[in-house]
């Protein structure tokens, strides 16, 4: 059956909540509004994953009867990722671990999970649970994604095509460069503009950076991705 994912807009009441996160997604090429910090964490991890090719927040509203009662469910995410051949898709629910119950040893679920699962089953898509606990060991990566996001968004909204090619050409000649040396080598552009172009290429998969290695900074080593790498979005 599947679905045709389109973001459901937040209501004025939902938008007035203090925990709404609004930002520009380079992957979606539009502004996104998310309803919790956990959802924001999950989105960041997917936005910067080279396996993910499409994302949509609040992609649909599902209705049906479960055990004789009318139920509705609005998934938090729709994710399309690279697969072996055809892309693979799933719906996502984001929750704090503290808002879940342990249904068996080390298996946690929201209380409404059976209802969610029953309604999602009718779409033919799997339902995946994401929690803040997934990021306990990714603190460096999370901080780096948050640091890089505005740079990538800036380049996506104000593309500097000439600068992009200059950045890529530097890596084609040298192979790898620290971010600080890169911006120092391109003197006709502002440092922030060079950083934005470089991190945009990382986001696209043409350059590589280990998000989990160390905090993003002037000594961060960027490397040219192989031309035939399936890691690349472009």
């Amino acid at each position: 059956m599947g679905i045709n994912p389109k973001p459901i807009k937040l209501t004025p009441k939902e938008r007035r909540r203090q925990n709404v996160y609004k930002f520009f997604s380079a992957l979606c090429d539009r502004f996104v509004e998310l309803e919790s910090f956990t959802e924001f964490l999950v989105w960041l991890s997917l936005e910067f994953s080279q396996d993910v090719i499409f994302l949509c927040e609040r992609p649909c509203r599902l209705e049906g009867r479960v055990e004789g009662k009318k139920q509705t469910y609005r998934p938090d995410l729709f994710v399309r990722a690279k697969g072996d051949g055809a892309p693979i898709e799933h719906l996502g629910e984001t929750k704090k671990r503290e808002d879940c119950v342990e249904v068996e040893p080390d298996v946690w679920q929201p209380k409404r999970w059976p209802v969610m699962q029953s309604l999602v089953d009718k779409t033919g898509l799997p339902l995946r649970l994401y929690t803040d606990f997934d990021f306990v060991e990714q603190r460096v990566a999370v901080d780096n994604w948050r640091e890089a996001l505005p740079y990538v968004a800036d380049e996506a909204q104000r593309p500097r095509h000439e600068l992009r090619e200059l950045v890529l050409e530097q890596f084609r000649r040298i192979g790898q460069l620290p971010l600080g040396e890169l911006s120092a080598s391109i003197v006709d552009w502002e440092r922030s503009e060079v950083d934005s172009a470089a991190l945009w290429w990382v986001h696209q998969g043409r350059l590589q950076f280990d998000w989990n290695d160390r905090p993003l900074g002037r000594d961060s080593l960027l490397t040219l991705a192989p031309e035939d790498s399936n890691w690349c979005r472009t």
Side-chain angles (χ1 to χ4, degrees):
M1 177 181 171
I3 63 169
N4 181 25
K6 293 182 179 179
I8 297 174
K9 292 183 179 180
L10 294 177
T11 65
K13 182 178 179 180
E14 290 171 328
R15 194 172 283 114
R16 285 195 296 269
R17 293 175 182 167
Q18 292 183 354
N19 59 346
V20 171
Y21 290 79
K22 183 176 181 179
F23 58 93
F24 188 87
S25 165
L27 178 60
C28 298
D29 195 30
R30 60 178 174 82
F31 280 94
V32 170
E33 290 183 322
L34 305 178
E35 299 180 84
S36 71
F37 183 63
T38 300
E39 194 172 341
F40 178 58
L41 287 180
V42 174
W43 187 284
L44 284 177
S45 70
L46 297 170
E47 173 88 24
F48 285 95
S49 168
Q50 297 304 311
D51 290 330
V52 175
I53 54 180
F54 179 79
L55 277 176
C56 182
E57 73 283 18
R58 301 178 301 280
C60 61
R61 191 182 305 277
L62 304 175
E63 299 180 352
R65 302 192 76 83
V66 180
E67 296 183 351
K69 296 182 179 180
K70 185 177 181 180
Q71 301 281 0
T72 63
Y73 170 50
R74 189 181 69 181
D76 291 326
L77 295 168
F78 172 88
V79 183
R80 181 178 295 133
K82 296 175 183 176
D84 294 331
I88 53 178
E89 300 174 342
H90 70 267
L91 294 172
E93 174 70 14
T94 63
K95 278 283 186 289
K96 288 184 178 180
R97 170 67 73 86
E98 64 189 50
D99 295 331
C100 299
V101 295
E102 192 173 17
V103 295
E104 56 184 84
D106 207 31
V107 177
W108 298 75
Q109 292 178 354
K111 292 180 179 179
R112 289 191 75 229
W113 188 257
V115 171
M116 299 173 184
Q117 188 69 70
S118 180
L119 294 175
V120 169
D121 283 347
K122 298 175 183 179
T123 70
L125 296 174
L127 177 62
R128 176 175 173 180
L129 175 65
Y130 297 89
T131 75
D132 53 344
F133 201 74
D134 298 336
F135 302 95
V136 168
E137 298 181 359
Q138 289 187 284
R139 297 185 187 278
V140 173
V142 167
D143 288 344
N144 285 338
W145 294 329
R146 295 182 72 178
E147 179 76 17
L149 183 65
Y151 289 95
V152 175
D154 176 65
E155 180 59 33
Q157 294 176 89
R158 300 189 300 165
R160 307 169 185 90
H161 298 289
E162 180 184 353
L163 176 57
R164 288 183 188 178
E165 290 307 310
L166 284 174
V167 167
L168 209 54
E169 183 58 33
Q170 289 287 78
F171 285 93
R172 289 191 180 113
R173 290 192 301 105
I174 302 174
Q176 60 182 24
L177 269 175
L179 192 57
E181 289 187 23
L182 173 67
S183 57
S185 69
I186 302 178
V187 297
D188 293 333
W189 296 82
E190 295 292 332
R191 189 178 81 174
S192 62
E193 295 173 330
V194 178
D195 291 349
S196 293
L199 292 171
W200 184 84
W201 279 126
V202 174
H203 180 273
Q204 296 298 306
R206 297 296 297 276
L207 299 180
Q208 296 176 340
F209 172 67
D210 185 355
W211 297 108
N212 287 290
D213 182 34
R214 64 184 66 186
L216 185 64
R218 309 316 300 161
D219 62 343
S220 295
L221 188 65
L222 308 185
T223 305
L224 183 68
E227 287 289 342
D228 60 348
S229 174
N230 60 8
W231 196 68
C232 297
R233 281 178 173 150
T234 58

